[in-house]
Amino acid sequence: MLRGEKDHVLPRFSDPRLLPISEKVVAGQRLSFDDGIALYRSHDLLGVGYLANIVRERLSGNVTYYNVNRHINPTDVCVAACKLCAFGKQKRNPTSYTMSLEQVWHTAGVGYSEQVSEFHIVGGLHPQLGIEWFERMFRGLKERFPSVHLKALTMVEVGYLARREKLSVRDTLLRLRDSGVDSLPGGGAEIFADRVRRIICDHKIDGDEWIETARTAHEIGLQSNATMLYGHIETEEDRVDHLLRLRALQDDTGGFQTYIPLAFHPQNTPMRHLPATSGFQDIRAVAVSRLLLDNFPHIKAYWIMMTPKIAQVAQRFGADDIDGTVVEEKIYHDAGATTPQALRRDQIERLIRKAGREPTERDTLYRPVRRDDTTLAIAV
């Protein structure tokens, strides 16, 4: 029985390895490392998706969340030279850019007529932008847009700022919080396995540092998201290890709101020889994460990376979020993403309804948003 509901009539799985997993899922029991490997290697994608949908509907019913957000990438200058990245550039590169504070504030206001509820702010590791510059940026945004939630700076950016300023991670996060940062995005996690990180992103903080930075953020009251970049040189074991490390931290802090699986886009990167992920892989990544991350309230199908159509399908394979309006996303488009730069609210709601789900606009903290006659976004 599922929480007093009628017994689930389980399908006849074509992969017998799914039967014991299905018994755990229906009983609400935690899945193991070996279960995760079986889910990644199963040829029965529909069976895996069926199980993920049980968990998804148990947690979120028929609702799919979205928000009205705007991405701001203040600079693409980066001291790192990660093989997975097509966005970051060396400062001497004539095509690199760094916004002035006035440009950041202006960019934030463009399109504000849609009543953006969140600014998602990430960029490169700039060698000359110190923490005071970021504090001024965040304070300026809060002065101009006091009702907008600032979801800003990845764990990698926080770690870099701490080292640059010779501050502890805690003190860095406290200063960012006090200048206006409301929560942190989940980027930069990539894959926690040291073997993989040494190849794809050896200039970034390691997996343990990412985990501990997130832990510290949660301890001072900053919630965050979490991600995993898949589809490059990692193994199924690396993926499951990554997910279970996130699950363990969530057991400790409860500070993660959403998990977002991110497909690697090889085009325009030093790893362009690798094939792009398939829709089959993208859907499986969503489903497996929903089944393993039993303590994460939300799983996001990020339409920017997986295309709106795959994100639609994912709403039946474990996802309950499709992200938002976005507006001018740079990082994944520089890596070859061919999806639109933005979607309007009505387009997102149509996508969700066509998937058979009920669209619910949310703020960053997943509070439902209603709009009055003047289209103001109000969290309720």
Side-chain angles (χ1 to χ4, degrees), residues 25-94:
V25 170
V26 171
Q29 297 174 0
R30 174 161 283 188
L31 301 187
S32 68
F33 182 93
D34 289 342
D35 292 331
I37 297 298
L39 290 167
Y40 269 119
R41 293 179 179 171
S42 175
H43 60 269
D44 187 357
L45 180 61
L46 291 178
V48 173
Y50 181 91
L51 296 177
N53 192 56
I54 291 175
V55 178
R56 184 254 198 251
E57 294 190 351
R58 181 188 300 163
L59 293 172
S60 299
N62 201 43
V63 167
T64 287
Y65 295 97
Y66 74 96
N67 69 339
V68 178
N69 62 347
R70 183 180 185 92
H71 282 219
I72 303 172
N73 306 120
T75 181
D76 65 354
V77 173
C78 191
V79 298
C82 300
K83 292 183 179 179
L84 56 81
C85 184
F87 173 73
K89 298 181 178 69
Q90 296 296 307
K91 190 173 185 298
R92 63 180 178 272
N93 189 319

Side-chain angles (χ1 to χ4, degrees), residues 29-321:
Q29 297 174 0
R30 174 161 283 188
L31 301 187
S32 68
F33 182 93
D34 289 342
D35 292 331
I37 297 298
L39 290 167
Y40 269 119
R41 293 179 179 171
S42 175
H43 60 269
D44 187 357
L45 180 61
L46 291 178
V48 173
Y50 181 91
L51 296 177
N53 192 56
I54 291 175
V55 178
R56 184 254 198 251
E57 294 190 351
R58 181 188 300 163
L59 293 172
S60 299
N62 201 43
V63 167
T64 287
Y65 295 97
Y66 74 96
N67 69 339
V68 178
N69 62 347
R70 183 180 185 92
H71 282 219
I72 303 172
N73 306 120
T75 181
D76 65 354
V77 173
C78 191
V79 298
C82 300
K83 292 183 179 179
L84 56 81
C85 184
F87 173 73
K89 298 181 178 69
Q90 296 296 307
K91 190 173 185 298
R92 63 180 178 272
N93 189 319
T95 66
S96 67
Y97 75 90
T98 300
M99 295 182 185
S100 67
L101 291 173
E102 289 73 19
Q103 287 175 317
V104 172
W105 299 329
H106 172 76
T107 299
V110 174
Y112 191 64
S113 60
E114 270 213 271
Q115 293 302 313
V116 171
S117 64
E118 172 192 286
F119 294 141
H120 180 124
I121 305 170
V122 298
L125 308 180
H126 196 296
Q128 295 175 320
L129 297 185
I131 193 167
E132 291 183 1
W133 188 90
F134 287 95
E135 289 173 316
R136 289 172 59 199
M137 177 178 71
F138 297 136
R139 288 196 179 102
L141 288 169
K142 281 296 186 183
E143 289 170 3
R144 291 161 176 79
F145 312 98
S147 65
V148 177
H149 183 107
L150 301 187
K151 185 171 73 177
L153 304 191
T154 64
M155 309 303 167
V156 173
E157 291 169 279
V158 171
Y160 176 73
L161 274 178
R163 289 180 180 176
R164 185 188 184 281
E165 303 289 341
K166 296 181 172 59
L167 294 170
S168 69
V169 168
R170 178 177 292 272
D171 286 345
T172 303
L173 285 165
L174 286 170
R175 286 181 62 170
L176 295 172
R177 184 196 68 183
D178 293 345
S179 65
V181 171
D182 296 302
S183 69
L184 277 67
E190 320 309 3
I191 287 284
F192 292 145
D194 289 338
R195 172 191 60 83
V196 178
R197 262 184 124 72
R198 281 194 295 269
I199 297 171
I200 66 171
C201 58
D202 60 332
H203 292 84
K204 289 183 178 178
I205 59 175
D206 63 28
D208 289 339
E209 290 173 308
W210 193 100
I211 287 285
E212 291 309 309
T213 302
R215 184 189 302 278
T216 303
H218 299 168
E219 288 173 350
I220 67 167
L222 290 172
Q223 293 182 293
S224 76
N225 291 342
T227 61
M228 177 177 72
L229 187 74
Y230 66 91
H232 40 90
I233 62 169
E234 86 287 356
T235 64
E236 288 98 344
E237 289 83 359
D238 294 330
R239 296 176 195 166
V240 175
D241 171 73
H242 186 101
L243 292 170
L244 296 192
R245 290 179 69 179
L246 291 174
R247 188 173 76 180
L249 180 57
Q250 182 75 333
D251 280 343
D252 291 344
T253 69
F256 289 123
Q257 295 190 106
T258 310
Y259 168 78
I260 309 105
L262 300 175
F264 177 55
H265 283 248
Q267 187 177 343
N268 301 328
T269 76
M271 301 176 75
R272 63 179 64 88
H273 60 283
L274 295 177
T277 63
S278 66
F280 196 95
Q281 289 173 292
D282 296 337
I283 291 297
R284 185 191 298 276
V286 171
V288 176
S289 64
R290 179 64 285 170
L291 289 165
L292 288 181
L293 297 178
D294 52 49
N295 52 6
F296 273 63
H298 305 288
I299 304 293
K300 181 184 294 184
Y302 187 32
W303 66 262
I304 280 283
M305 294 197 75
M306 24 174 91
T307 76
K309 290 182 178 180
I310 295 296
Q312 272 185 308
V313 175
Q315 301 307 310
R316 294 285 169 177
F317 281 74
D320 70 335
D321 193 300

